[in-house]
Amino acid sequence: GYPDFTVARMRELIARIKEKGGFYVFPHPTQITKSDDPLDYWFADETGFEVFYYTMTHPETEANYKLWCTLLDMGKRLWACSGEDAHMAPSTNALTVIYAEEQKNASYLSHLRCGDFICGSVGIRMCIGDILMGGKGSFDGNRLVVSVKDFHNSVVKEGHKYSLVLLNDKGVVAKEEIFTDRENVFAIDTDDCRFYRAEVIDETENLRIAIGNPIWNA
């Protein structure tokens, strides 16, 4: 029963949502839209794109991840987020992590609106100078600093090994072992690239359990 939405109409809707202080996300994109053209899944930059759908191992999750990476490679600035799609029954199957100042909607939205949140079940904080995750600015003369901690109990498994992977638009730039019982901090010099982002991998299961949003070189 939804009205037909043209691209222009969808962009108008997104602009109105932003004007009112809201946050727009494209939910389970590869389930809703069926197209071979990645640009059919993009309406506006600085909006959410549901990568983890239902669970981290759901077939749509892998399809969404590949599509999100393709759009990043095309220069689109979309923030990865999670959605469990149960609506009436909250669970820990697909979490979005926000380091909010208060347990209030306004505080959550302030981080969602700038991309300073994590798709997945592990806390990732990242900055380049004073540019936070999800933001954009000059990389010149600044180091990339990443902190990983606050593993949700659902992804902490005895005997499993975990790693932090740092990527830019050219591929993997660093990979380090991390531990669930402490804060893991790393820093690297930045190169001339379009963006940096971070992921946490359960190496034992070969499973991506958290995706940090990019910082873009402006």
Side-chain angles (χ1 to χ4, degrees), residues 59 101 139 162 172:
E101 293 76 15
F139 290 178
Y162 301 85
V172 175

Side-chain angles (χ1 to χ4, degrees), residues 29-47:
T30 57
Q31 184 187 41
I32 292 177
T33 303
K34 301 297 181 183
S35 173
D36 294 328
D37 184 354
L39 291 179
D40 285 341
Y41 299 84
W42 174 82
F43 301 109
D45 282 342
E46 298 183 348
T47 58

Side-chain angles (χ1 to χ4, degrees), residues 22 90 97 166 174 195 205 218:
V97 175
L166 297 178
F195 62 80
E205 292 190 8

Side-chain angles (χ1 to χ4, degrees), residues 145-157:
V145 181
V146 184
S147 165
V148 181
K149 61 178 183 177
D150 299 324
F151 282 69
H152 192 272
N153 290 339
S154 62
V155 295
V156 177
K157 300 179 180 179

Side-chain angles (χ1 to χ4, degrees), residues 139 167-170 190-196 216-218:
F139 290 178
L167 306 100
N168 62 17
D169 56 296
K170 301 167 187 175
T190 56
D191 292 325
D192 184 17
C193 58
R194 289 193 288 115
F195 62 80
Y196 281 100
W216 281 277
N217 198 359

